[in-house]
Amino acid sequence: MKGKILLLAIPLLFSCSSTKQQESDPKIPHHSYEDVSDKMVNWQDVFTKGDGYCVYFFSRTCQYCDAIRDEIIEISLTHRTPVYFCNDNAIVRDKYLDVKTTLGMDDITEFRIKGFPSIIKVTNQVINEHCPGKSATLNFIRSIA
């Protein structure tokens, strides 16, 4: 009887090992917004950074922004697509915004974000992608990495 129990227990012992999982998960270092202080932009300068860049809108008091901070900063520091950070008090938010209406915009006086966090991609000084919310922002930033 002990032998049968032992035979059943051996596969469980090996299947519960977390060694392989830990080895395959990349470790994202801890970051602060000070690490990207040279990439901070004001709301008024969102469309003035050249061509082919992203702007990440965040609030230091937003729990969702805090949860993804390390990964957003890591990608901005290690990948070619420039990512700027905007935490300006002048940011205009509209929780009812249909983000599709912002595509093609090039005028900051008309532009709004849905909330924090949000990220946009600007090409030829117009918005061609706008992703609001934690999941959409992370999916987008991972796609440019």
Side-chain angles (χ1 to χ4, degrees):
M1 182 67 175
K2 284 185 181 180
K4 289 181 181 179
I5 293 174
L6 185 58
L7 286 174
L8 292 173
I10 289 174
L12 289 175
L13 291 173
F14 289 107
S15 68
C16 293
S17 173
S18 63
T19 305
K20 286 184 180 179
Q21 181 67 24
Q22 289 174 350
E23 289 173 5
S24 66
D25 288 342
K27 180 74 173 149
I28 298 171
H30 175 71
H31 288 288
S32 78
Y33 290 113
E34 297 304 315
D35 298 342
V36 289
S37 60
D38 61 326
K39 297 177 181 224
M40 293 289 179
V41 296
N42 293 322
W43 175 254
Q44 295 298 319
D45 298 328
V46 165
F47 294 110
T48 64
K49 291 308 199 181
D51 188 36
Y53 61 93
C54 298
V55 181
Y56 172 66
F57 301 95
F58 71 98
S59 169
R60 292 182 191 267
T61 60
C62 168
Q63 68 182 7
Y64 304 110
C65 300
D66 192 49
I68 64 176
R69 178 194 62 236
D70 293 337
E71 189 168 355
I72 297 285
I73 293 173
E74 181 68 13
I75 289 171
S76 78
L77 294 173
T78 59
H79 292 84
R80 284 188 280 172
T81 302
V83 178
Y84 296 98
F85 293 75
C86 186
N87 178 33
D88 195 339
N89 288 334
I91 294 173
V92 180
R93 294 177 291 159
D94 177 358
K95 68 180 179 179
Y96 301 109
L97 177 71
D98 177 359
V99 296
K100 292 176 188 172
T101 64
T102 64
L103 301 180
M105 278 190 177
D106 62 356
D107 182 0
I108 197 66
T109 62
E110 300 293 322
F111 179 54
R112 313 276 184 269
I113 66 169
K114 192 165 190 161
F116 299 116
S118 288
I119 193 165
I120 60 170
K121 182 165 187 185
V122 178
T123 305
N124 296 324
Q125 297 182 329
V126 300
I127 297 172
N128 65 355
E129 293 193 54
H130 185 164
C131 302
K134 178 183 170 186
S135 296
T137 298
L138 267 181
N139 289 338
F140 176 78
I141 199 80
R142 287 172 179 163
S143 76
I144 67 165

